[in-house]
């Protein structure tokens, strides 16, 4: 998904175990962390939408039989 020109940035605090937060900072330099989290959230959103559609299709398929 592309960013719209009306998209605003909002600061969010993540609570992570200390060792994971240290790895996160080391693995993703400043400026890349937000992009990584955004990508993960959008991937999760897409997967949830696909699962919802599959579930609905299964339900409709059962009612047709």
């Amino acid at each position: 998904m592309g960013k719209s020109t009306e998209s605003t940035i909002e600061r969010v605090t993540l609570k992570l175990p200390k060792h994971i937060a240290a790895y996160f900072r080391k693995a993703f330099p400043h400026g890349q962390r937000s992009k990584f989290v955004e990508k993960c959230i959008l991937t999760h959103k897409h997967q949830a939408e696909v699962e919802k559609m599959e579930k609905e299709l299964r339900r409709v398929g059962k009612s047709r039989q």
Side-chain angles (χ1 to χ4, degrees), residues 8-14 30 33-34:
T8 60
I9 302 298
E10 186 167 334
R11 186 173 298 270
V12 176
T13 301
L14 299 174
H30 185 74
R33 295 178 203 138
S34 295

Side-chain angles (χ1 to χ4, degrees), residues 4-62:
S4 70
T5 55
E6 297 177 18
S7 179
T8 60
I9 302 298
E10 186 167 334
R11 186 173 298 270
V12 176
T13 301
L14 299 174
K15 292 186 177 188
L16 301 170
K18 193 172 188 173
H19 69 282
I20 293 175
Y23 171 78
F24 188 57
R25 287 185 192 101
K26 183 178 178 184
F28 300 95
H30 185 74
Q32 298 301 311
R33 295 178 203 138
S34 295
K35 290 177 185 174
F36 173 75
V37 172
E38 177 184 5
K39 181 180 169 189
C40 290
I41 291 170
L42 290 175
T43 299
H44 180 270
K45 179 183 175 187
H46 176 73
Q47 288 174 343
E49 290 170 349
V50 168
E51 287 175 10
K52 182 180 176 185
M53 282 188 258
E54 288 174 345
K55 189 175 181 179
E56 184 66 21
L57 287 171
R58 275 190 233 105
R59 187 185 65 77
V60 170
K62 286 181 181 178

